[in-house]
Amino acid sequence: MSLSLADLLEFDRDALVEDWLARITLLPGASRLTREQLVDALPAFIDELHDVVEKDSGDDFRPSYHNEASEAHGRQRLRLGCDVTLVAREYGLLRDCILERAEQQDLHVPLSQVRALCTRIDTAQRGAVSQFELDSSERSRKEAEDRERFFQLSPDMFCIAGTDAYFKRVNAHFVQVLGWSETELYRLPFLDLVHPDDREATLQELHKLSQGLPTLRFENRYRCKDGGYKWLAWAARPLPEKGLIYAAARDITEARAATLERERLLEALRESEARFRNMADHAPVMLWVTDVEGFTTYMNRGWYAFTGQTEVQGLGLGWLAAIHPDDMERTRDIFLAANTANHQPFRLDYRLRGGDGVYRWAVDSGSPRFDADGRFLGYIGSVIDISDRKQAEVEREALLARESAARQEAEVANQLKDEFLATVSHELRTPLTAILGWVQLLRTGHLPESRRARALETMERNARAQGQLIEDLLDVSRIVSGKLKLDVEPVDLSTVVQQALESVRPAADARGVQVQATVDSSSSVMGDPQRLQQVVWNLLSNAVKFTPRNGRVRLVVERRASLVELTVADTGQGISPAFLPHVFERFRQADSGTTRKTGGLGLGLSIVRHLVEMHGGTVAAASAGDGQGATFTVRLPLSIIQHRDAALPPPLRLPSGPGTEPVHPPELNGVRVLVVDDEEDARELLRTLLEDSGALVLTAGSAAEGLQVLQAERPDVLVSDIGMPGTDGYGFIERVRALPADDGGRTPAVAITAYARSEDRTRVLRAGFQSHVPKPVEPVELLAVLASLAGRFETPPKA
């Protein structure tokens, strides 16, 4: 679409202004003017040219416009001190810029539009240049009119006063503010309008003016027509040679009232701030205030007293130096984020260093402050020492943790107890099942001789196994109660090991396990030989039990410096890493379920550890894991006393081989024995055993019946159970010992009881029994005790 001259003036106006500026700045006198001063109303003039061109009407065109804009432009240039030549060139350059741009864009401009354009530019040029052609009188007249117009229309109070204290001229605003008419103001001395309290100061100011000193600012009160007073602020310049004072005043009544109100509010604010500071400094907490940037502007005395900081150290962000290094970064981030971003209340805990250098826990709470318009002013907050509460929380958490651990431990212990009771039930019932089964088969009388011998062997083996379980339980009871005692003497460890090997080898041979031993014969320790033999037997028995067929168990005893080291290593199933730390704990078994492959109560290794520690030694277990075998190492202090000739007594707790024939001591032939037991089976067992040994047996089923038989038959030896209904064994022997000697009061007595603890044995002996035989009864042991008692005491003559 082709452009017209009107389009050029509309769309290229800014480009025309730039073209014009590029040329006009090269002219003399234009370079000292700013861009704004040069441009002046040029864009508006170009818009006017656009309207003129659009209204082009051919040869009869008579443009209608006003010269006010061009005259104003001329006056502006005249006021800026420009030459009239510059003004004339401005309009000529504008015409050249427009026509050259039209030529560059190849515009076909009608002649009538060119004439209208040039006519308007020429007219505007004449209007601007005409301002330079006015004569001085006209200019003076215009200036006078301008001054008068300014004097009258000014928003300030202008006046001319004489040194005779009368107004000579006042403007309309002066009359409007005070309410007096111009005539009234001329007639009254202006001092009559001054407030009485301000007249002295006003006279002093007039005196300075009369000496030619100008007044830069002076305030006093003037009386209005309605009787009120207004505060006026004066600025005056004297003309002493003419006796005149030119003055300007401004009504500052409202500003003065606002100032007084502001001063009153400031004073109230100062009083409020003083009260706040007084309360804050005596508050039982630490207080602080920040500005909009998050910098602390106030902290009360409580902060400085607590931290030992000074005001210079604490204000701004200096207070962070008193925060614990581990809490400082978190505290700074939360604090600055609240102050500079979210403007929400916050609360945080941190450790605050006191003046003594000790860190204490504190809680810091901050709330945002806003003015009446909702603008954020900063934060106000408090810091409270919560060390005691924090300590209580820590102690409470620790207590809860301990309670939780104790509860878990109790649950584990309860679980272990249940598992142990189940294991005890299983381990005790298993031999009982074998014993009861074979007894029932024997009672049928249909078993051949070979099967009958096997039945007796099985029953004996299971009875001894059950006795071993009970002995282990008793040992644990002694260990827990602290009543396990040692009979310490020099012990040749090689002899102990040999005895244990002889006891274990039959079981190893039966399982196809090879047992090898390497023993240093010079290894001697101080200890209880039976208990040490129990340690070695337990370790060897465990190794054999957990080693598969064709496996190997190796025992090594050797001296290492001042210690004797006993090592039992096997190629068995090993110990898992998870169970290894618990291997010596009571009631703990790696395989404790109903599908476990081996028997036992899980007490042997705990007994071993306790016995070794009682001997001043240590025991340790090692294993590479499941299927990798296990190694147990016992270290005992070497004894400096050698005891090679002492014969180790035979073990009382290790089972003897099956088929061993009991030896009946001849001392029991003809001995009269009274058996008192409420259990008929037990009475019959003892009757059979004793009668087979040649003794004469009397029986009684209770303590009362036993007393009657004792007094009537006068037996040689008395055998009594302890646990009986009504009167127990202790009550029975007490009544026996209360009898005269002739009535059997000194009859030797043996207690048979399932209570086999050391304290039970002590109580039995103190009650009046001469000996204590634990259940299950070893026939050989019982017969030996009865033979000893029968020969030790003189038997009264038989009736």
Side-chain angles (χ1 to χ4, degrees):
M1 183 178 63
S2 60
L3 296 176
S4 65
L5 182 60
D7 294 334
L8 176 68
L9 293 172
E10 179 178 1
F11 297 114
D12 289 359
R13 186 189 68 176
D14 295 339
L16 289 171
V17 171
E18 295 299 327
D19 291 346
W20 182 81
L21 282 173
R23 297 187 181 193
I24 197 66
T25 52
L26 299 176
L27 298 179
S31 59
R32 63 184 180 84
L33 301 180
T34 65
R35 176 186 174 91
E36 289 75 12
Q37 290 173 338
L38 286 172
V39 171
D40 195 24
L42 182 59
F45 182 65
I46 294 176
D47 292 340
E48 184 181 337
L49 292 178
H50 167 267
D51 295 340
V52 169
V53 171
E54 276 195 333
K55 295 177 182 179
D56 170 39
S57 57
D59 295 340
D60 298 332
F61 172 71
R62 294 290 185 272
S64 59
Y65 46 78
H66 301 285
N67 288 333
E68 292 183 0
S70 57
E71 291 175 357
H73 176 66
R75 287 195 297 273
Q76 187 250 15
R77 292 292 192 256
L78 178 63
R79 186 171 62 255
L80 293 176
C82 297
D83 187 78
V84 68
T85 305
L86 175 63
V87 178
R89 293 292 303 275
E90 287 185 70
Y91 289 92
L93 286 174
L94 178 60
R95 180 177 55 247
D96 294 342
C97 290
I98 294 173
L99 295 178
E100 286 179 8
R101 182 165 287 273
E103 184 179 0
Q104 291 172 2
Q105 297 188 11
D106 196 19
L107 297 183
H108 298 285
V109 183
L111 186 60
S112 59
Q113 291 185 2
V114 175
R115 183 180 61 183
L117 175 70
C118 294
T119 300
R120 179 66 189 100
I121 292 176
D122 291 342
T123 304
Q125 181 183 38
R126 287 194 299 273
V129 171
S130 66
Q131 302 305 308
F132 290 84
E133 297 174 354
L134 296 176
D135 56 16
S136 58
S137 60
E138 180 64 20
R139 186 178 294 111
S140 299
R141 182 184 63 78
K142 284 184 173 291
E143 291 177 355
E145 290 177 356
D146 290 342
R147 285 194 300 272
E148 182 63 24
R149 188 181 298 110
F150 174 76
F151 184 80
Q152 294 297 339
L153 298 179
S154 175
D156 289 329
M157 301 167 62
F158 287 131
C159 69
I160 301 175
T163 55
D164 58 356
Y166 282 89
F167 289 114
K168 307 302 181 182
R169 287 287 307 278
V170 293
N171 67 348
H173 192 60
F174 203 104
V175 172
Q176 179 184 352
V177 170
L178 295 181
W180 301 98
S181 66
E182 190 173 349
T183 303
E184 291 173 328
L185 289 173
Y186 294 155
R187 188 173 63 247
L188 293 173
F190 59 73
L191 283 175
D192 291 349
L193 301 177
V194 176
H195 192 282
D197 296 341
D198 300 334
R199 286 178 184 173
E200 183 63 30
T202 304
L203 285 172
Q204 294 177 3
E205 198 64 30
L206 285 173
H207 179 68
K208 291 191 292 183
L209 287 169
S210 64
Q211 294 179 347
L213 299 176
T215 296
L216 299 179
R217 184 177 179 86
F218 175 72
E219 297 177 3
N220 61 7
R221 285 164 286 183
Y222 259 70
R223 189 173 76 249
C224 300
K225 182 69 176 288
D226 59 6
Y229 284 89
K230 287 187 179 292
W231 278 96
L232 302 180
W234 296 90
R237 180 175 295 280
L239 293 176
E241 65 278 6
K242 295 183 178 181
L244 297 176
I245 300 173
Y246 288 84
R250 180 164 295 179
D251 182 5
I252 60 170
T253 304
E254 293 182 359
R256 184 73 181 226
T259 300
L260 293 176
E261 179 65 17
R262 184 168 61 253
E263 291 178 354
R264 186 187 67 79
L265 292 177
L266 288 175
E267 182 62 26
L269 180 61
R270 283 191 291 269
E271 292 178 358
S272 176
E273 184 177 355
R275 287 195 299 271
F276 166 76
R277 288 180 178 271
N278 184 53
M279 289 188 295
D281 286 339
H282 292 84
V285 298
M286 294 168 271
L287 301 176
W288 52 265
V289 178
T290 64
D291 58 15
V292 296
E293 300 297 331
F295 291 97
T296 304
T297 58
Y298 170 76
M299 305 183 95
N300 71 339
R301 292 180 184 175
W303 174 273
Y304 301 122
F306 185 91
T307 63
Q309 287 186 328
T310 63
E311 189 171 358
V312 174
Q313 294 171 332
L315 295 183
L317 295 178
W319 59 275
L320 286 170
I323 307 300
H324 193 282
D326 294 343
D327 302 334
M328 184 171 62
E329 183 176 357
R330 174 179 59 88
T331 301
R332 182 184 64 243
D333 293 344
I334 295 175
F335 193 87
L336 293 182
N339 274 271
T340 58
N342 52 36
H343 300 161
Q344 295 294 321
F346 66 86
R347 178 188 178 93
L348 68 156
D349 295 352
Y350 51 72
R351 285 162 288 182
L352 184 61
R353 187 181 65 243
D356 55 0
V358 177
Y359 285 96
R360 296 175 177 85
W361 278 102
V363 58
D364 197 334
S365 303
S367 299
R369 298 180 296 123
F370 300 94
D371 63 11
D373 298 327
R375 288 189 296 269
F376 176 67
L377 301 178
Y379 271 80
I380 184 170
S382 62
V383 180
I384 302 175
D385 181 2
I386 59 169
S387 298
D388 295 340
R389 187 177 74 191
K390 201 74 173 182
Q391 182 64 28
E393 292 177 358
V394 171
E395 292 176 356
R396 183 168 62 253
E397 291 176 358
L399 178 60
L400 290 176
R402 289 196 299 270
E403 290 179 352
S404 177
R407 183 168 57 254
Q408 293 178 359
E409 184 177 348
E411 291 174 355
V412 172
N414 190 55
Q415 181 181 358
L416 291 176
K417 179 199 71 175
D418 293 341
E419 293 177 356
F420 174 71
L421 291 176
T423 302
V424 169
S425 175
H426 175 272
E427 293 299 315
L428 291 178
R429 287 176 184 271
T430 298
L432 285 176
T433 300
I435 294 172
L436 182 60
W438 283 112
V439 167
Q440 291 174 345
L441 291 175
L442 287 172
R443 291 181 65 183
T444 63
H446 299 305
L447 285 177
E449 187 64 28
S450 60
R451 299 291 296 275
R452 188 180 300 111
R454 180 183 176 188
L456 293 174
E457 177 186 341
T458 302
M459 292 168 59
E460 181 181 2
R461 183 175 64 254
N462 280 277
R464 292 184 183 279
Q466 194 174 51
Q468 183 65 44
L469 293 175
I470 295 172
E471 285 298 325
D472 285 345
L473 290 172
L474 291 174
D475 279 344
V476 170
S477 175
R478 296 184 187 103
I479 290 171
V480 172
S481 61
K483 295 183 179 180
L484 183 65
K485 301 294 188 292
L486 299 179
D487 295 328
V488 180
E489 61 182 68
V491 178
D492 187 349
L493 203 57
S494 61
T495 305
V496 172
V497 170
Q498 188 62 36
Q499 292 283 348
L501 283 171
E502 291 176 359
S503 301
V504 173
R505 199 173 298 279
D509 294 341
R511 293 178 60 87
V513 176
Q514 181 182 2
V515 179
Q516 301 173 343
T518 303
V519 182
D520 183 353
S521 60
S522 64
S523 303
S524 177
V525 298
M526 292 296 294
D528 186 325
Q530 294 189 21
R531 291 302 184 181
L532 289 176
Q533 185 174 343
Q534 183 180 355
V535 168
V536 180
W537 181 81
N538 262 312
L539 293 178
L540 288 173
S541 297
N542 263 5
V544 170
K545 182 167 62 174
F546 291 104
T547 300
R549 182 171 295 276
N550 299 324
R552 186 175 67 256
V553 174
R554 181 172 178 78
L555 183 147
V556 178
V557 178
E558 57 184 339
R559 295 178 56 174
R560 291 185 179 275
S562 61
L563 298 175
V564 177
E565 187 173 277
L566 185 148
T567 304
V568 177
D570 63 68
T571 59
Q573 68 183 44
I575 306 171
S576 67
F579 184 72
L580 191 60
H582 309 288
V583 72
F584 291 106
E585 294 180 8
R586 286 193 298 272
F587 314 135
R588 294 295 290 266
Q589 291 178 294
D591 183 11
S592 59
T594 58
T595 60
R596 62 195 185 121
K597 300 177 182 179
T598 57
L601 299 178
L603 299 176
L605 290 178
S606 67
I607 295 173
V608 166
R609 182 184 65 175
H610 191 80
L611 291 176
V612 170
E613 291 176 351
M614 289 184 69
H615 283 82
T618 60
V619 61
S623 176
D626 292 334
Q628 303 295 316
T631 301
F632 289 85
T633 303
V634 176
R635 295 180 178 88
L636 297 170
L638 185 66
S639 172
I640 61 174
I641 301 176
Q642 297 295 326
H643 187 67
R644 299 183 182 275
D645 299 330
L648 185 68
L652 297 180
R653 305 178 63 236
L654 300 180
S656 61
T660 303
E661 293 294 333
V663 179
H664 296 161
E667 294 86 352
L668 291 180
N669 290 330
V671 175
R672 295 165 58 84
V673 180
L674 172 60
V675 177
V676 182
D677 197 321
D678 63 307
E679 292 288 342
E680 182 178 355
D681 292 341
R683 291 199 305 269
E684 290 304 315
L685 174 63
L686 293 175
R687 176 195 290 275
T688 302
L689 173 65
L690 295 176
E691 287 179 347
D692 290 346
S693 301
L696 301 177
V697 181
L698 304 171
T699 61
S702 65
E705 184 181 352
L707 284 174
Q708 294 176 0
V709 174
L710 174 69
Q711 292 176 341
E713 301 294 336
R714 300 293 301 280
D716 300 320
V717 182
L718 176 64
V719 178
S720 175
D721 187 21
I722 292 296
M724 294 186 296
T727 303
D728 60 8
Y730 298 116
F732 172 64
I733 197 64
E734 183 180 354
R735 294 182 182 181
V736 170
R737 296 299 178 229
L739 295 174
D742 294 340
D743 293 335
R746 294 185 60 192
T747 304
V750 178
I752 298 179
T753 176
Y755 302 101
R757 299 175 301 174
S758 60
E759 56 265 34
D760 297 324
R761 182 175 181 274
T762 302
R763 183 179 178 187
V764 163
L765 298 179
R766 287 182 176 177
F769 290 97
Q770 276 70 37
S771 185
H772 169 272
V773 177
K775 293 180 180 181
V777 176
E778 284 283 352
V780 176
E781 181 181 359
L782 177 61
L783 296 177
V785 169
L786 291 177
S788 174
L789 292 179
R792 181 182 304 171
F793 295 93
E794 181 180 353
T795 305
K798 297 179 176 60

